């Protein structure tokens, strides 16, 4: 594997760059694979940004559209906000060094936001109304999915936040969608809507975090979801705990599925430049228990040592026990000239 990245700052808040990656053997063993591209980001004033990239891959065993590009703009004023972007990924675009969750599609996105600060209400810092749209087409121009959402949120002077979101989805399934190992949504065209109520306690509190509840339709069934995330309990000046849980109750004509994920993260700071963290997570749907322990030491300004230990186990009836285990050590050194 090899990666070369070049980047140069230009103007006041802008940059241009280039990237090249190489993998000597592709996943299918069909020879080497290369990726290369250009990117740029330009900032104008304090609130307006625009940018994009163009990239291409070369994989001997693939033919077709091997390019990808994106163009985006963002205006992030205090009272008003506007975003617009378009992303295109060809059916043969194959970054062997990197990640690609979806291929052969075009995605158009946009949002509008209005965020006044009501001076007449002393306990409210900001109100926000926002509308969002994500639109996906496949390579032949057919609509694959669409998401429309509207959000109203209140940010209080205490730094607590409360929001309500209404979402309407369209999804076309050309193949069954597996919700769980024994449950799948059949092929077809589906339109469904849901609501989400969310509250976040300010980080200045000894116990902080967010709680959300979602309810509504899910494909041709129903969904209820309760989530506690980004929770943080300050035990001492050096130790903090971050518990979390995600509960999803899915009710479909083909059957029901209850999926729960428990997680606990702890952080311990030995000094401002040295800390250790541990994460334990359990998924009831797969009976997987995973853990991750990480140690970081900035032994010199900009230079770091990382030690990471991961362990993944299948704890279910008839499970395989240990699935993966890894130890990684990374050392970086910043050279100033």
């Amino acid at each position: 594997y090899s990666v070369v990245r070049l980047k140069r700052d230009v103007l006041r808040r802008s940059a241009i760059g280039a990237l090249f990656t190489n993998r000597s053997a592709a996943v299918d063993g069909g020879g080497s694979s290369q990726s290369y591209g250009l990117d740029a980001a330009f900032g104008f004033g304090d609130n307006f940004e625009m940018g994009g990239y163009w990239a291409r891959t070369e994989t001997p065993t693939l033919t077709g559209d091997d390019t990808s590009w994106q163009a985006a703009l963002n205006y992030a004023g205090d009272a008003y906000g506007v975003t617009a972007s378009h992303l295109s990924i060809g059916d043969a675009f194959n970054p062997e060094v990197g990640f690609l969750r979806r291929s052969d599609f075009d995605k158009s996105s946009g949002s509008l936001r209005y965020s006044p600060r009501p001076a007449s209400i002393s306990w409210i810092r900001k109100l926000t109304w926002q509308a969002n749209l994500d639109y996906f087409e496949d390579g032949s121009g057919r609509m694959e999915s669409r998401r429309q959402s509207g959000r109203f949120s209140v940010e209080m002077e205490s730094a607590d936040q409360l929001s309500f979101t209404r979402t309407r989805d369209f999804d076309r399934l050309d193949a069954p969608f597996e919700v769980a190992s024994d449950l799948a949504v059949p092929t077809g065209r589906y339109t469904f809507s849901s609501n989400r109520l969310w509250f976040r306690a300010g980080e200045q509190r000894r116990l902080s975090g967010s709680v959300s509840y979602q309810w509504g339709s899910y494909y041709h069934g129903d969904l209820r979801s309760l989530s506690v995330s980004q929770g943080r309990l300050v035990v001492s000046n050096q130790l903090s705990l971050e518990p979390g849980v995600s509960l999803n109750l899915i009710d479909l004509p083909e059957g029901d599925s209850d999926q729960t994920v428990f997680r606990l993260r702890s952080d311990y700071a030995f000094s401002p430049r040295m800390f250790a963290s541990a994460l334990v997570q359990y998924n009831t749907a797969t009976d997987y228990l995973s853990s991750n322990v990480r140690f970081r030491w900035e032994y010199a300004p900009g230079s770091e040592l990382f030690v990471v230990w991961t362990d993944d186990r299948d704890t279910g009836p008839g499970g395989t026990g240990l699935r993966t285990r890894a130890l990684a050590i990374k050392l970086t050194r910043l050279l100033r000239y």
Side-chain angles (χ1 to χ4, degrees):
Y1 299 87
S2 54
V3 178
V4 178
R5 168 65 169 164
L6 300 175
K7 181 180 178 181
R8 180 176 179 83
D9 293 334
V10 296
L11 305 176
R12 188 169 69 94
R13 291 196 309 116
S14 306
I16 55 176
L19 178 72
F20 173 80
T21 70
N22 178 74
R23 179 170 174 165
S24 60
V27 173
D28 59 5
S32 64
S33 177
Q34 295 79 37
S35 306
Y36 50 89
L38 303 171
D39 64 281
F42 299 97
F44 304 96
D46 296 328
N47 301 318
F48 185 71
E49 298 176 343
M50 62 182 301
Y53 76 84
W54 176 89
R56 184 177 182 180
T57 62
E58 294 184 1
T59 306
T61 57
L62 295 178
T63 59
D65 184 1
D66 56 7
T67 62
S68 174
W69 63 272
Q70 183 182 43
L73 61 86
N74 176 35
Y75 175 77
D78 184 64
Y80 299 94
V82 178
T83 67
S85 66
H86 185 84
L87 171 65
S88 178
I89 296 182
D91 59 341
F93 184 73
N94 179 43
E96 293 273 1
V97 181
F99 301 93
L100 185 64
R101 299 177 57 189
R102 191 170 180 172
S103 62
D104 191 25
F105 74 91
D106 284 83
K107 175 187 177 183
S108 299
S109 301
S111 69
L112 296 173
R113 174 181 56 83
Y114 174 52
S115 304
R117 296 179 180 269
S120 59
I121 308 177
S122 60
W123 56 277
I124 292 182
R125 181 180 300 171
K126 181 187 289 189
L127 301 173
T128 298
W129 288 266
Q130 183 166 327
N132 304 281
L133 172 65
D134 293 319
Y135 184 88
F136 289 86
E137 290 183 343
D138 62 16
S140 63
R142 295 188 307 165
M143 181 174 66
E144 282 191 336
S145 59
R146 180 188 63 230
R147 166 164 288 191
Q148 303 161 283
S149 64
R151 176 174 65 93
F152 171 70
S153 63
V154 180
E155 181 179 352
M156 307 171 193
E157 287 294 343
S158 61
D160 298 337
Q161 298 180 54
L162 178 67
S163 73
F164 173 79
T165 303
R166 172 74 174 177
T167 303
R168 182 175 176 82
D169 289 280
F170 168 83
D171 201 2
R172 191 188 76 239
L173 298 180
D174 295 330
F177 169 54
E178 187 175 282
V179 177
S181 58
D182 57 349
L183 181 63
V185 179
T187 59
R189 297 163 60 93
Y190 299 91
T191 300
F192 48 98
S193 303
S194 63
N195 309 286
R196 181 172 180 261
L197 188 62
W198 176 83
F199 173 77
R200 178 181 176 87
E203 295 184 357
Q204 82 281 2
R205 302 184 185 278
R206 188 177 184 86
L207 177 61
S208 63
S210 63
V211 179
S212 68
Y213 179 67
Q214 181 179 354
W215 71 98
S217 56
Y218 183 72
Y219 290 92
H220 57 323
D222 297 305
L223 167 69
R224 289 171 293 159
S225 175
L226 177 65
S227 175
V228 178
S229 61
Q230 298 177 324
R232 187 168 185 266
L233 173 62
V234 179
V235 180
S236 67
N237 291 334
Q238 294 175 292
L239 176 64
S240 65
L241 302 176
E242 299 180 9
V245 61
S246 177
L247 172 63
N248 296 282
L249 306 177
I250 300 174
D251 183 10
L252 299 173
E254 293 77 19
D256 301 336
S257 176
D258 299 344
Q259 303 175 2
T260 307
V261 177
F262 300 95
R263 54 189 172 272
L264 176 64
R265 174 174 174 169
S266 61
D267 294 291
Y268 187 84
F270 300 93
S271 70
R273 290 188 174 183
M274 181 188 296
F275 76 87
S277 64
L279 173 66
V280 178
Q281 181 170 290
Y282 178 68
N283 189 328
T284 61
T286 59
D287 289 317
Y288 285 173
L289 176 66
S290 59
S291 59
N292 175 280
V293 180
R294 183 169 66 116
F295 171 80
R296 173 185 176 270
W297 175 34
E298 187 178 3
Y299 61 91
S303 302
E304 299 171 316
L305 169 67
F306 289 92
V307 180
V308 181
W309 170 269
T310 59
D311 188 283
D312 191 10
R313 296 177 178 271
D314 184 353
T315 63
T320 58
L322 179 65
R323 300 177 66 243
T324 60
R325 176 180 288 165
L327 172 66
I329 301 175
K330 176 182 177 182
L331 180 69
T332 66
R333 176 65 181 178
L334 176 63
L335 303 178
R336 299 181 181 274
Y337 57 90

